[in-house]
Amino acid sequence: MRLRRALALLLLAACAAGCSSVRPWINAPLPEAPAPVATAAQLAARDPSALFAVTLSGGGARAAAFGYGVLQELRATPCCWNDKGGNMLDAVDVVSGVSGGSIIATYYAAFGSEGLDNFEHEYLRQNFQGSLLNQLLRPANLVDLTSPWFGRSQLLARRLDTLYRGMTFGDIERRPRHPQLLVTATDMSLGTGFEFTPEQFELICSDLSSVPLSFAVTASSAVPLLLSPLTLKNYAEDCRSRGIVPRALAPRREDDYRARMLRTQEGSYLDARTRPYIHLVDGGLSDNLGVRRLLDRALAGGSLRASFSEVGIPAGSVHHLVLITVNSERDPSTRIDASDKVPGIAEVVDALLFGAGARATTETQEFLADLARQWQSELSRRSADGKDVFAPGATIHVIQVNLRDAQGDQRRSLLQVPTAFSIADAEVSGLIAAGRSVLRSSPEFQKLLRSLGAPAPAAAVSDPR
Protein backbone atom coordinates (compact mmCIF):
# COMPACT_ATOMS: atom_id res chain seq x y z
CA MET A 1 0.00 0.00 0.00
CA ARG A 2 2.81 2.37 0.94
CA LEU A 3 4.62 1.54 -2.30
CA ARG A 4 1.48 2.23 -4.40
CA ARG A 5 1.04 5.55 -2.62
CA ALA A 6 4.65 6.49 -3.32
CA LEU A 7 4.29 5.56 -7.01
CA ALA A 8 1.11 7.61 -7.28
CA LEU A 9 2.83 10.62 -5.78
CA LEU A 10 5.81 10.18 -8.09
CA LEU A 11 3.42 10.09 -11.05
CA LEU A 12 1.84 13.31 -9.81
CA ALA A 13 5.28 14.90 -9.58
CA ALA A 14 6.12 13.73 -13.07
CA CYS A 15 2.99 15.43 -14.38
CA ALA A 16 4.23 18.64 -12.82
CA ALA A 17 7.73 18.22 -14.25
CA GLY A 18 9.18 21.44 -15.53
CA CYS A 19 6.84 23.49 -13.35
CA SER A 20 9.16 23.91 -10.38
CA SER A 21 11.85 26.57 -10.48
CA VAL A 22 12.71 26.47 -6.78
CA ARG A 23 16.35 27.26 -6.03
CA PRO A 24 17.98 26.13 -2.79
CA TRP A 25 20.34 28.18 -0.63
CA ILE A 26 23.55 29.29 -2.36
CA ASN A 27 26.68 30.73 -0.78
CA ALA A 28 27.33 34.48 -0.77
CA PRO A 29 30.49 36.33 -1.89
CA LEU A 30 32.86 37.91 0.60
CA PRO A 31 31.37 41.28 1.61
CA GLU A 32 34.84 42.83 2.01
CA ALA A 33 38.50 41.89 2.27
CA PRO A 34 38.85 38.89 4.61
CA ALA A 35 39.96 39.55 8.15
CA PRO A 36 43.43 38.34 9.18
CA VAL A 37 43.53 34.58 9.60
CA ALA A 38 43.26 33.76 13.29
CA THR A 39 43.82 30.59 15.25
CA ALA A 40 41.62 28.63 17.58
CA ALA A 41 43.59 30.01 20.52
CA GLN A 42 43.02 33.59 19.37
CA LEU A 43 39.39 33.20 18.37
CA ALA A 44 38.26 31.46 21.51
CA ALA A 45 40.75 32.95 24.00
CA ARG A 46 42.10 29.48 24.73
CA ASP A 47 45.22 28.46 26.60
CA PRO A 48 47.71 27.18 23.98
CA SER A 49 49.82 25.13 26.44
CA ALA A 50 47.95 21.98 25.34
CA LEU A 51 46.42 21.93 21.87
CA PHE A 52 43.77 19.28 21.28
CA ALA A 53 42.23 18.16 17.98
CA VAL A 54 39.62 15.42 17.56
CA THR A 55 38.71 13.96 14.16
CA LEU A 56 35.59 11.82 13.70
CA SER A 57 35.38 9.48 10.71
CA GLY A 58 32.50 8.64 8.42
CA GLY A 59 30.10 5.74 8.88
CA GLY A 60 26.56 7.08 9.23
CA ALA A 61 24.79 6.73 12.58
CA ARG A 62 27.34 4.05 13.53
CA ALA A 63 30.10 6.68 13.38
CA ALA A 64 27.92 9.26 15.15
CA ALA A 65 27.21 6.87 18.07
CA PHE A 66 30.81 5.65 18.40
CA GLY A 67 32.12 9.21 18.19
CA TYR A 68 29.53 10.36 20.73
CA GLY A 69 30.88 7.73 23.14
CA VAL A 70 34.43 9.04 22.65
CA LEU A 71 33.32 12.62 23.36
CA GLN A 72 31.44 11.44 26.45
CA GLU A 73 34.59 9.76 27.75
CA LEU A 74 36.63 12.90 27.14
CA ARG A 75 34.06 14.84 29.14
CA ALA A 76 34.38 12.32 31.99
CA THR A 77 38.17 12.81 32.06
CA PRO A 78 39.38 15.61 34.37
CA CYS A 79 42.19 17.79 33.13
CA CYS A 80 44.49 19.84 35.31
CA TRP A 81 46.81 22.33 33.65
CA ASN A 82 46.82 26.12 33.55
CA ASP A 83 43.28 27.44 33.00
CA LYS A 84 41.89 24.38 31.22
CA GLY A 85 40.19 23.23 34.39
CA GLY A 86 37.18 21.02 34.10
CA ASN A 87 37.27 18.16 31.64
CA MET A 88 39.21 17.15 28.58
CA LEU A 89 36.32 17.72 26.18
CA ASP A 90 36.22 21.40 27.13
CA ALA A 91 39.93 21.54 26.26
CA VAL A 92 39.35 20.49 22.64
CA ASP A 93 40.48 23.28 20.30
CA VAL A 94 39.57 21.72 16.94
CA VAL A 95 36.89 19.15 16.10
CA SER A 96 36.75 17.70 12.61
CA GLY A 97 34.15 15.43 11.04
CA VAL A 98 33.50 13.52 7.85
CA SER A 99 30.10 12.21 6.75
CA GLY A 100 28.45 10.53 9.78
CA GLY A 101 31.23 11.85 12.01
CA SER A 102 30.42 15.40 10.88
CA ILE A 103 26.90 15.06 12.32
CA ILE A 104 28.18 14.68 15.90
CA ALA A 105 31.25 16.94 15.40
CA THR A 106 29.00 19.79 14.26
CA TYR A 107 26.51 19.22 17.06
CA TYR A 108 29.29 19.44 19.66
CA ALA A 109 30.75 22.59 18.06
CA ALA A 110 27.28 24.17 17.95
CA PHE A 111 26.06 23.35 21.47
CA GLY A 112 29.22 22.59 23.46
CA SER A 113 29.77 19.94 26.10
CA GLU A 114 26.83 21.29 28.10
CA GLY A 115 24.44 20.46 25.25
CA LEU A 116 26.06 17.21 24.18
CA ASP A 117 23.68 14.88 26.05
CA ASN A 118 20.75 16.09 23.93
CA PHE A 119 22.34 14.56 20.82
CA GLU A 120 21.44 11.06 21.94
CA HIS A 121 17.72 11.87 22.08
CA GLU A 122 17.56 14.32 19.19
CA TYR A 123 19.46 12.18 16.68
CA LEU A 124 20.77 8.78 17.76
CA ARG A 125 17.49 7.43 19.14
CA GLN A 126 15.26 9.02 16.51
CA ASN A 127 14.11 7.30 13.34
CA PHE A 128 15.99 9.92 11.36
CA GLN A 129 16.05 7.84 8.19
CA GLY A 130 12.31 7.24 8.38
CA SER A 131 11.69 10.97 8.68
CA LEU A 132 13.73 11.52 5.51
CA LEU A 133 11.60 9.02 3.62
CA ASN A 134 8.46 10.75 4.89
CA GLN A 135 9.81 14.05 3.58
CA LEU A 136 10.44 12.46 0.20
CA LEU A 137 6.80 11.37 -0.02
CA ARG A 138 5.36 14.81 0.63
CA PRO A 139 3.78 16.20 -2.57
CA ALA A 140 5.37 19.65 -2.13
CA ASN A 141 8.83 18.10 -1.86
CA LEU A 142 8.21 15.87 -4.87
CA VAL A 143 7.36 18.96 -6.88
CA ASP A 144 10.51 20.71 -5.61
CA LEU A 145 12.53 17.75 -6.85
CA THR A 146 11.48 18.51 -10.42
CA SER A 147 13.60 21.66 -10.27
CA PRO A 148 16.99 21.27 -12.01
CA TRP A 149 18.60 23.12 -9.07
CA PHE A 150 17.02 21.05 -6.30
CA GLY A 151 18.21 17.52 -5.44
CA ARG A 152 17.57 14.83 -2.87
CA SER A 153 20.31 16.20 -0.63
CA GLN A 154 18.31 19.40 -0.12
CA LEU A 155 15.70 17.32 1.74
CA LEU A 156 18.43 16.02 4.06
CA ALA A 157 19.66 19.60 4.58
CA ARG A 158 16.15 20.68 5.57
CA ARG A 159 15.96 17.89 8.16
CA LEU A 160 19.45 18.64 9.54
CA ASP A 161 18.61 22.33 9.76
CA THR A 162 16.08 21.40 12.43
CA LEU A 163 18.72 19.43 14.35
CA TYR A 164 21.11 22.42 14.32
CA ARG A 165 18.38 25.01 15.05
CA GLY A 166 19.16 26.86 11.80
CA MET A 167 22.67 27.77 12.99
CA THR A 168 25.50 28.92 10.69
CA PHE A 169 29.28 28.85 11.01
CA GLY A 170 29.06 32.48 12.11
CA ASP A 171 26.84 31.45 15.03
CA ILE A 172 29.54 29.04 16.23
CA GLU A 173 32.17 31.79 16.02
CA ARG A 174 30.06 33.88 18.38
CA ARG A 175 30.00 31.16 21.05
CA PRO A 176 32.53 31.80 23.87
CA ARG A 177 35.44 29.35 23.96
CA HIS A 178 34.06 27.37 21.03
CA PRO A 179 36.15 24.70 19.33
CA GLN A 180 37.02 25.33 15.70
CA LEU A 181 34.87 23.17 13.41
CA LEU A 182 36.21 21.48 10.27
CA VAL A 183 33.74 19.61 8.03
CA THR A 184 35.17 17.82 5.01
CA ALA A 185 33.34 16.99 1.78
CA THR A 186 34.80 15.80 -1.55
CA ASP A 187 35.22 18.04 -4.57
CA MET A 188 33.61 15.92 -7.28
CA SER A 189 35.82 17.23 -10.08
CA LEU A 190 39.14 16.93 -8.24
CA GLY A 191 38.41 13.89 -6.08
CA THR A 192 40.08 15.69 -3.17
CA GLY A 193 38.86 16.96 0.17
CA PHE A 194 37.01 20.27 0.37
CA GLU A 195 37.10 21.71 3.89
CA PHE A 196 34.52 24.12 5.25
CA THR A 197 37.11 26.51 6.65
CA PRO A 198 37.68 30.27 6.23
CA GLU A 199 40.88 29.54 4.27
CA GLN A 200 39.11 27.25 1.80
CA PHE A 201 36.23 29.69 1.32
CA GLU A 202 38.64 32.55 0.83
CA LEU A 203 39.90 30.72 -2.27
CA ILE A 204 36.41 30.93 -3.81
CA CYS A 205 35.90 34.46 -2.43
CA SER A 206 32.94 33.35 -0.34
CA ASP A 207 31.64 34.02 3.15
CA LEU A 208 31.84 30.93 5.38
CA SER A 209 30.11 32.66 8.30
CA SER A 210 26.79 32.68 6.43
CA VAL A 211 26.94 28.96 5.52
CA PRO A 212 24.29 26.88 7.34
CA LEU A 213 25.75 24.03 9.38
CA SER A 214 23.17 21.77 7.76
CA PHE A 215 24.60 22.51 4.30
CA ALA A 216 28.15 21.52 5.30
CA VAL A 217 27.05 18.30 7.03
CA THR A 218 24.81 17.36 4.11
CA ALA A 219 27.64 17.92 1.62
CA SER A 220 29.94 15.76 3.76
CA SER A 221 27.26 13.02 3.90
CA ALA A 222 26.06 13.11 0.27
CA VAL A 223 26.71 9.51 -0.76
CA PRO A 224 26.79 9.48 -4.59
CA LEU A 225 23.69 8.10 -6.34
CA LEU A 226 21.73 7.79 -3.08
CA LEU A 227 21.97 11.54 -2.52
CA SER A 228 22.62 14.37 -4.95
CA PRO A 229 25.74 16.60 -4.98
CA LEU A 230 25.54 20.01 -3.33
CA THR A 231 26.71 23.10 -5.18
CA LEU A 232 28.75 26.18 -4.24
CA LYS A 233 29.29 29.23 -6.43
CA ASN A 234 32.89 30.30 -7.08
CA TYR A 235 33.29 34.09 -6.76
CA ALA A 236 37.08 34.18 -7.23
CA GLU A 237 36.73 36.45 -10.28
CA ASP A 238 34.78 38.92 -8.16
CA CYS A 239 37.61 39.05 -5.60
CA ARG A 240 40.16 39.58 -8.33
CA SER A 241 38.21 42.54 -9.70
CA ARG A 242 38.16 44.05 -6.18
CA GLY A 243 41.88 43.50 -5.68
CA ILE A 244 41.43 40.87 -2.97
CA VAL A 245 44.20 38.25 -3.11
CA PRO A 246 43.71 35.02 -1.14
CA ARG A 247 46.43 34.22 1.36
CA ALA A 248 45.62 30.55 1.86
CA LEU A 249 47.64 29.04 -1.01
CA ALA A 250 50.10 26.38 0.10
CA PRO A 251 53.78 27.41 -0.08
CA ARG A 252 55.51 26.72 -3.39
CA ARG A 253 57.77 23.69 -2.83
CA GLU A 254 59.40 21.53 -5.48
CA ASP A 255 60.82 18.88 -3.12
CA ASP A 256 57.52 17.35 -1.96
CA TYR A 257 54.82 16.02 -4.27
CA ARG A 258 52.11 16.55 -1.63
CA ALA A 259 52.91 20.26 -1.46
CA ARG A 260 52.87 20.50 -5.27
CA MET A 261 49.53 18.70 -5.51
CA LEU A 262 47.99 20.76 -2.73
CA ARG A 263 49.03 24.02 -4.36
CA THR A 264 47.69 22.87 -7.75
CA GLN A 265 44.37 21.86 -6.20
CA GLU A 266 44.01 25.12 -4.32
CA GLY A 267 45.04 27.11 -7.39
CA SER A 268 42.24 25.57 -9.44
CA TYR A 269 39.67 27.45 -7.35
CA LEU A 270 41.15 30.79 -8.41
CA ASP A 271 40.03 30.18 -12.01
CA ALA A 272 36.33 30.93 -11.63
CA ARG A 273 35.85 31.18 -15.40
CA THR A 274 36.79 27.52 -15.78
CA ARG A 275 35.20 26.44 -12.50
CA PRO A 276 32.29 28.80 -11.77
CA TYR A 277 30.62 26.13 -9.61
CA ILE A 278 31.94 23.54 -7.17
CA HIS A 279 29.98 20.30 -6.72
CA LEU A 280 30.45 18.42 -3.45
CA VAL A 281 29.78 14.82 -2.38
CA ASP A 282 30.53 12.56 0.59
CA GLY A 283 33.83 13.42 2.29
CA GLY A 284 34.62 9.76 2.91
CA LEU A 285 35.42 9.32 -0.78
CA SER A 286 38.57 11.43 -0.41
CA ASP A 287 39.51 10.78 3.24
CA ASN A 288 37.26 8.91 5.63
CA LEU A 289 39.38 9.93 8.64
CA GLY A 290 39.38 13.64 7.88
CA VAL A 291 43.08 14.13 8.61
CA ARG A 292 44.83 13.87 5.23
CA ARG A 293 44.29 17.52 4.26
CA LEU A 294 45.56 18.59 7.68
CA LEU A 295 48.69 16.50 7.16
CA ASP A 296 49.18 17.72 3.59
CA ARG A 297 48.97 21.32 4.76
CA ALA A 298 51.45 20.71 7.59
CA LEU A 299 53.86 18.98 5.20
CA ALA A 300 53.50 21.79 2.67
CA GLY A 301 54.86 24.13 5.33
CA GLY A 302 58.10 22.14 5.37
CA SER A 303 58.07 21.19 9.06
CA LEU A 304 55.85 21.13 12.12
CA ARG A 305 57.47 24.31 13.45
CA ALA A 306 57.04 26.10 10.13
CA SER A 307 53.33 25.21 9.99
CA PHE A 308 52.85 26.87 13.40
CA SER A 309 55.09 29.86 12.67
CA GLU A 310 52.31 32.25 11.62
CA VAL A 311 49.44 31.28 13.90
CA GLY A 312 50.11 33.93 16.53
CA ILE A 313 50.90 31.61 19.47
CA PRO A 314 53.54 33.06 21.82
CA ALA A 315 56.97 31.45 21.72
CA GLY A 316 57.47 28.53 24.10
CA SER A 317 53.75 28.15 24.85
CA VAL A 318 52.88 24.69 23.52
CA HIS A 319 53.75 21.82 25.88
CA HIS A 320 51.41 19.16 24.49
CA LEU A 321 50.06 18.59 20.97
CA VAL A 322 47.29 16.00 20.99
CA LEU A 323 45.46 14.47 18.01
CA ILE A 324 42.67 11.96 18.66
CA THR A 325 41.46 10.20 15.51
CA VAL A 326 38.25 8.19 15.73
CA ASN A 327 37.77 5.48 13.09
CA SER A 328 34.32 3.88 12.90
CA GLU A 329 34.83 1.68 9.84
CA ARG A 330 33.08 -1.68 9.96
CA ASP A 331 33.94 -5.10 8.56
CA PRO A 332 32.57 -6.37 5.22
CA SER A 333 29.25 -8.17 5.62
CA THR A 334 30.56 -11.40 4.05
CA ARG A 335 33.96 -13.03 3.68
CA ILE A 336 34.16 -13.45 -0.07
CA ASP A 337 37.46 -15.34 0.27
CA ALA A 338 35.64 -18.18 2.04
CA SER A 339 33.78 -19.23 -1.12
CA ASP A 340 34.71 -20.15 -4.70
CA LYS A 341 31.47 -18.66 -6.05
CA VAL A 342 31.59 -15.46 -8.11
CA PRO A 343 30.77 -12.57 -5.74
CA GLY A 344 27.49 -10.83 -6.50
CA ILE A 345 27.05 -7.10 -7.07
CA ALA A 346 26.14 -6.41 -3.44
CA GLU A 347 29.13 -8.41 -2.22
CA VAL A 348 31.50 -6.60 -4.59
CA VAL A 349 30.27 -3.16 -3.48
CA ASP A 350 30.48 -4.19 0.18
CA ALA A 351 34.03 -5.54 -0.22
CA LEU A 352 35.22 -2.47 -2.12
CA LEU A 353 33.81 -0.08 0.49
CA PHE A 354 34.72 -1.92 3.69
CA GLY A 355 37.50 -4.25 2.58
CA ALA A 356 39.69 -2.71 -0.10
CA GLY A 357 38.39 0.74 0.83
CA ALA A 358 39.67 0.31 4.38
CA ARG A 359 43.23 0.10 3.06
CA ALA A 360 43.30 3.86 2.38
CA THR A 361 42.30 4.52 5.99
CA THR A 362 44.95 2.13 7.30
CA GLU A 363 47.59 3.81 5.14
CA THR A 364 46.57 7.23 6.50
CA GLN A 365 46.79 5.94 10.07
CA GLU A 366 50.25 4.45 9.53
CA PHE A 367 51.40 7.60 7.75
CA LEU A 368 50.16 9.68 10.68
CA ALA A 369 51.98 7.45 13.19
CA ASP A 370 55.26 7.75 11.24
CA LEU A 371 54.82 11.50 10.88
CA ALA A 372 54.21 11.91 14.62
CA ARG A 373 57.51 10.17 15.33
CA GLN A 374 59.27 12.47 12.85
CA TRP A 375 57.69 15.52 14.45
CA GLN A 376 58.69 14.38 17.94
CA SER A 377 62.26 13.96 16.70
CA GLU A 378 62.10 17.45 15.18
CA LEU A 379 60.96 18.96 18.48
CA SER A 380 63.87 17.34 20.29
CA ARG A 381 66.17 19.65 18.33
CA ARG A 382 65.75 23.19 19.61
CA SER A 383 65.11 26.05 17.20
CA ALA A 384 67.79 28.73 17.10
CA ASP A 385 65.61 31.70 16.08
CA GLY A 386 63.87 32.13 19.44
CA LYS A 387 60.44 32.06 17.80
CA ASP A 388 59.63 28.41 18.43
CA VAL A 389 56.04 28.09 19.71
CA PHE A 390 56.92 24.73 21.29
CA ALA A 391 58.31 24.65 24.81
CA PRO A 392 61.42 22.58 25.65
CA GLY A 393 60.37 18.96 26.13
CA ALA A 394 57.06 19.42 24.26
CA THR A 395 55.34 16.12 23.50
CA ILE A 396 53.14 14.89 20.66
CA HIS A 397 50.37 12.39 21.32
CA VAL A 398 48.51 10.63 18.51
CA ILE A 399 45.65 8.55 19.90
CA GLN A 400 43.91 6.30 17.38
CA VAL A 401 40.49 5.10 18.53
CA ASN A 402 39.28 2.30 16.24
CA LEU A 403 35.95 0.50 16.41
CA ARG A 404 37.85 -2.66 15.50
CA ASP A 405 39.61 -2.41 18.89
CA ALA A 406 36.32 -2.92 20.74
CA GLN A 407 36.33 -5.87 23.16
CA GLY A 408 33.68 -8.16 24.54
CA ASP A 409 30.84 -10.27 23.21
CA GLN A 410 29.34 -7.41 21.17
CA ARG A 411 32.46 -6.72 19.12
CA ARG A 412 31.48 -8.85 16.13
CA SER A 413 27.94 -7.48 15.96
CA LEU A 414 29.15 -3.86 16.28
CA LEU A 415 31.47 -4.37 13.31
CA GLN A 416 28.44 -5.39 11.25
CA VAL A 417 26.25 -2.36 12.08
CA PRO A 418 25.19 -0.91 8.71
CA THR A 419 26.07 2.53 7.42
CA ALA A 420 22.73 4.32 7.62
CA PHE A 421 21.19 7.46 9.10
CA SER A 422 19.37 5.37 11.73
CA ILE A 423 20.33 2.19 13.62
CA ALA A 424 18.67 0.11 16.35
CA ASP A 425 18.63 1.33 19.95
CA ALA A 426 20.67 -1.66 21.12
CA GLU A 427 23.32 -0.86 18.52
CA VAL A 428 23.41 2.78 19.64
CA SER A 429 23.98 1.71 23.26
CA GLY A 430 26.69 -0.78 22.29
CA LEU A 431 28.54 1.73 20.12
CA ILE A 432 28.44 4.48 22.78
CA ALA A 433 29.85 2.07 25.36
CA ALA A 434 32.49 0.89 22.88
CA GLY A 435 33.60 4.46 22.12
CA ARG A 436 34.12 5.13 25.81
CA SER A 437 35.92 1.88 26.58
CA VAL A 438 38.22 1.89 23.53
CA LEU A 439 39.44 5.42 24.34
CA ARG A 440 39.79 4.67 28.05
CA SER A 441 41.86 1.53 27.46
CA SER A 442 44.09 3.06 24.77
CA PRO A 443 47.78 2.86 25.83
CA GLU A 444 48.43 6.23 24.14
CA PHE A 445 45.53 7.81 26.02
CA GLN A 446 46.87 6.44 29.30
CA LYS A 447 50.31 7.82 28.38
CA LEU A 448 48.73 11.25 27.75
CA LEU A 449 47.02 11.22 31.15
CA ARG A 450 50.33 10.43 32.86
CA SER A 451 52.06 13.18 30.89
CA LEU A 452 49.42 15.70 31.98
CA GLY A 453 49.35 14.49 35.56
CA ALA A 454 45.63 13.89 35.18
CA PRO A 455 43.84 11.12 37.13
CA ALA A 456 42.55 8.18 35.13
CA PRO A 457 38.77 8.37 34.60
CA ALA A 458 36.50 6.03 36.51
CA ALA A 459 34.94 3.17 34.62
CA ALA A 460 31.81 4.22 32.75
CA VAL A 461 28.48 2.96 33.99
CA SER A 462 26.91 0.64 31.41
CA ASP A 463 23.78 1.84 29.66
CA PRO A 464 20.84 -0.35 30.75
CA ARG A 465 18.88 0.24 27.56
Side-chain angles (χ1 to χ4, degrees):
M1 181 68 182
R2 186 178 177 88
L3 179 59
R4 288 199 298 270
R5 178 170 173 258
L7 290 175
L9 290 170
L10 286 171
L11 180 60
L12 177 64
C15 293
C19 296
S20 177
S21 59
V22 63
R23 289 178 180 264
W25 175 90
I26 193 72
N27 57 305
L30 277 174
E32 55 188 20
V37 175
T39 66
Q42 292 171 314
L43 288 172
R46 289 178 172 273
D47 168 23
S49 63
L51 301 180
F52 276 78
V54 177
T55 69
L56 301 164
S57 81
R62 181 185 66 252
F66 186 65
Y68 175 75
V70 172
L71 297 186
Q72 289 277 20
E73 187 64 22
L74 288 174
R75 192 173 63 176
T77 305
C79 66
C80 47
W81 60 91
N82 290 4
D83 69 349
K84 284 182 179 282
N87 61 72
M88 199 168 284
L89 182 59
D90 286 334
V92 171
D93 300 290
V94 177
V95 61
S96 169
V98 175
S99 197
S102 73
I103 299 174
I104 174 62
T106 302
Y107 194 93
Y108 164 60
F111 304 111
S113 61
E114 64 276 10
L116 185 63
D117 288 339
N118 295 328
F119 182 75
E120 187 171 349
H121 167 71
E122 293 185 359
Y123 179 80
L124 292 176
R125 299 193 185 276
Q126 294 289 326
N127 185 4
F128 193 88
Q129 192 158 298
S131 70
L132 287 177
L133 292 175
N134 287 334
Q135 281 200 52
L136 177 63
L137 296 176
R138 291 175 182 171
N141 288 336
L142 288 169
V143 172
D144 285 346
L145 287 169
T146 65
S147 168
W149 301 283
F150 193 96
R152 296 177 299 281
S153 287
Q154 266 76 30
L155 299 181
L156 172 59
R158 286 177 176 176
R159 179 65 181 85
L160 286 170
D161 205 46
T162 301
L163 180 67
Y164 299 124
R165 318 284 200 275
M167 291 178 65
T168 65
F169 278 84
D171 293 323
I172 289 181
E173 293 298 325
R174 287 184 282 273
R175 287 192 65 248
R177 294 183 61 83
H178 65 276
Q180 293 300 105
L181 172 65
L182 277 71
V183 175
T184 302
T186 297
D187 185 320
M188 231 171 91
S189 296
L190 300 181
T192 57
F194 182 98
E195 295 175 328
F196 282 76
T197 62
E199 294 82 4
Q200 177 74 68
F201 268 66
E202 188 178 317
L203 292 172
I204 61 172
C205 189
S206 187
D207 179 21
L208 177 65
S209 66
S210 64
V211 176
L213 299 179
S214 58
F215 182 92
V217 174
T218 299
S220 185
S221 307
V223 179
L225 302 182
L226 293 178
L227 292 168
S228 55
L230 286 187
T231 302
L232 291 171
K233 183 168 175 54
N234 187 350
Y235 297 98
E237 193 68 26
D238 179 60
C239 266
R240 184 178 292 109
S241 67
R242 289 190 281 157
I244 300 175
V245 179
R247 299 153 296 179
L249 280 177
R252 189 182 299 279
R253 291 186 58 199
E254 299 301 330
D255 61 340
D256 191 299
Y257 79 93
R258 297 181 194 88
R260 295 195 301 271
M261 289 184 65
L262 180 61
R263 186 175 178 86
T264 298
Q265 293 158 11
E266 291 180 342
S268 73
Y269 295 108
L270 302 181
D271 186 3
R273 293 182 180 179
T274 301
R275 302 193 68 199
Y277 296 97
I278 312 298
H279 300 287
L280 305 175
V281 291
D282 193 300
L285 297 176
S286 55
D287 175 19
N288 200 47
L289 279 182
V291 300
R292 184 165 287 276
R293 296 286 281 186
L294 294 173
L295 298 180
D296 287 346
R297 194 169 293 109
L299 289 168
S303 68
L304 182 64
R305 283 193 176 97
S307 65
F308 276 82
S309 63
E310 298 180 0
V311 296
I313 296 176
S317 295
V318 180
H319 293 261
H320 304 279
L321 183 61
V322 183
L323 176 59
I324 301 173
T325 64
V326 181
N327 176 23
S328 304
E329 281 188 334
R330 69 172 179 86
D331 284 344
S333 299
T334 57
R335 292 180 56 235
I336 59 174
D337 294 338
S339 172
D340 62 349
K341 295 181 180 178
V342 177
I345 293 176
E347 292 173 317
V348 170
V349 172
D350 188 68
L352 289 175
L353 287 175
F354 303 108
R359 172 172 175 165
T361 297
T362 302
E363 288 178 345
T364 300
Q365 289 181 314
E366 293 300 317
F367 175 50
L368 175 58
D370 287 347
L371 197 57
R373 285 189 285 270
Q374 294 175 25
W375 284 341
Q376 189 65 70
S377 177
E378 176 190 339
L379 293 186
S380 68
R381 300 184 297 274
R382 297 302 301 154
S383 173
D385 62 7
K387 299 179 181 178
D388 190 357
V389 301
F390 292 95
T395 57
I396 297 174
H397 301 268
V398 175
I399 301 165
Q400 300 191 2
V401 185
N402 299 303
L403 180 56
R404 288 192 172 94
D405 292 333
Q407 303 296 317
D409 298 336
Q410 280 191 303
R411 179 182 183 277
R412 183 175 177 81
S413 62
L414 293 180
L415 289 173
Q416 293 297 320
V417 175
T419 301
F421 283 111
S422 298
I423 55 178
D425 271 357
E427 294 170 336
V428 169
S429 299
L431 287 161
I432 293 173
R436 300 196 66 167
S437 64
V438 172
L439 175 63
R440 190 186 318 117
S441 60
S442 163
E444 280 299 320
F445 187 63
Q446 296 295 332
K447 181 180 177 181
L448 169 66
L449 294 180
R450 291 192 297 271
S451 176
L452 296 172
V461 178
S462 60
D463 191 327
R465 284 172 287 195

